Amino acid sequence: MTDVTSHGTACRQPDSSATGQTAPVDDFPARFVSALGLAHAANDTYAAFLPPLLPPLIEKLSLSKTEAGLIAFLSTLPSLLQPVIGHLADRTDLRYLVIFSPAIVATAMSLLGIAPRLLVVALLVTVAGLASAALHAVAPAMAGHLSGRRLGRGMGIWMVGGALGFTIGPLLVVTTLNFFSLEGTPWLMVGGWAASALLFVVLRRVPARPPDSMVGNSWREGLRSVKPIFVPVAGITLLRSFLVTATFIFLPTYLTEQGAPLWFAGLSVSISAGAGMVGSLAGGSMSDRWGRRRILSTFIV
């Protein structure tokens, strides 16, 4: 059984009955960090179903653009709960949220194809959004703690997982639509459950928080400590989201309305997301070498 120490500064193998040796304390726990990247990839693969599914859902359910926008809004609204989920994660082990969120998101998003009315679609995307919010609140902290000194590499792997998911997801769902129509999408949930089964095997004994986490800190103290970096990063993220989210969600709808085939509309989303994989890995490794402030400032400017 694996023992993961605090703050990811070590990922020790327990004393072996044969050798009694432990791994060096600065080993990078690639197995566990890669598993978290897989969780991110599986989760975001299914989250990325929504943009390519919107055009056929608009046609099937006779939705207005306002109603389609409401669906997109409900899928992201649970993200506002991430501070609450993170607060809980500081006080209890929520690793099973990470393990099972791909299965939950896969089930909800795969059922969109057979949803009979707007209310059911809204419920499904809200459930998927809640599970995705839980994953994104807990798993990055796990990856950071486990990565130790190689934080940039660990977070790069985490981010690549998400970019990979958003690259694969649109291609997967438009292929299914081309061959099986909307009624074939429920079968896609099998991949999410398989991913959760694998994550259970790898992560079930990995704590979601370091054992010496300072559970006594108040929210006010925590916000005060991160204020210098939190405020500018939050502002950048907010402004970026207005443009990126709207473009990502409605790009397939726009292209299909302009006469493009659905496969091309889905491919456009995959190309956009795929470009982020290179930046995620390269940026993480560069930040370990040259400093996070320097890399962040360079690419923002």
Side-chain angles (χ1 to χ4, degrees):
M1 184 174 70
T2 303
D3 174 28
V4 182
T5 62
S6 66
H7 294 292
T9 54
C11 182
R12 295 185 288 108
Q13 298 298 328
D15 291 343
S16 168
S17 58
T19 64
Q21 296 178 344
T22 59
V25 295
D26 59 347
D27 274 1
F28 181 74
R31 176 189 177 193
F32 301 117
V33 176
S34 297
L36 292 170
L38 170 65
H40 199 187
N43 182 93
D44 286 9
T45 292
Y46 291 94
F49 280 11
L50 184 57
L53 280 174
L54 272 184
L57 285 176
I58 289 173
E59 181 179 356
K60 173 186 175 182
L61 302 177
S62 301
L63 302 178
S64 66
K65 294 297 188 298
T66 301
E67 290 170 328
L70 175 64
I71 294 172
F73 172 73
L74 290 175
S75 70
T76 57
L77 182 63
S79 296
L80 296 176
L81 295 176
Q82 287 187 20
V84 177
I85 299 171
H87 182 68
L88 293 174
D90 286 337
R91 285 153 173 75
T92 186
D93 196 332
L94 299 182
R95 64 181 176 272
Y96 286 106
L97 290 179
V98 175
I99 291 171
F100 290 110
S101 72
I104 297 171
V105 175
T107 300
M109 298 303 291
S110 297
L111 291 176
L112 286 178
I114 59 173
R117 57 182 64 89
L118 176 61
L119 181 61
V120 177
V121 172
L123 177 62
L124 289 172
V125 297
T126 301
V127 170
L130 285 169
S132 185
L135 175 81
H136 287 84
V138 180
M142 289 179 66
H145 294 316
L146 291 168
S147 299
R149 297 178 181 177
R150 300 180 183 178
L151 179 61
R153 178 190 293 184
M155 296 310 298
I157 291 173
W158 161 259
M159 292 300 298
V160 164
L164 180 63
F166 274 104
T167 301
I168 295 174
L171 295 177
L172 180 61
V173 74
V174 296
T175 300
T176 301
L177 292 174
N178 284 335
F179 284 97
F180 304 105
S181 75
L182 281 170
E183 285 66 32
T185 60
W187 291 101
L188 294 174
M189 74 175 70
V190 174
W193 283 98
S196 285
L198 178 59
L199 291 170
F200 177 78
V201 172
V202 177
L203 297 178
R204 69 186 186 280
R205 294 190 178 97
V206 178
R209 64 188 181 96
D212 65 344
S213 60
M214 300 173 64
V215 297
N217 282 359
S218 69
W219 281 54
R220 182 175 299 177
E221 292 171 344
L223 288 174
R224 187 182 300 117
S225 66
V226 300
K227 183 178 179 180
I229 186 65
F230 177 79
V231 172
V233 169
I236 293 169
T237 302
L238 179 63
L239 294 175
R240 177 181 177 275
S241 296
F242 281 117
L243 176 62
V244 174
T245 302
T247 301
F248 183 82
I249 292 293
F250 284 105
L251 181 59
T253 300
Y254 171 77
L255 290 175
T256 54
E257 288 181 347
Q258 297 302 309
L262 186 59
W263 69 264
F264 181 81
L267 180 63
S268 67
V269 177
S270 295
I271 292 174
S272 175
M277 288 191 292
V278 177
S280 295
L281 266 184
S285 297
M286 287 189 296
S287 71
D288 284 337
R289 184 172 182 178
W290 292 304
R292 312 196 202 291
R293 180 178 299 178
R294 180 180 300 175
I295 296 301
L296 185 60
S297 301
T298 299
F299 283 99
I300 288 176
V301 174

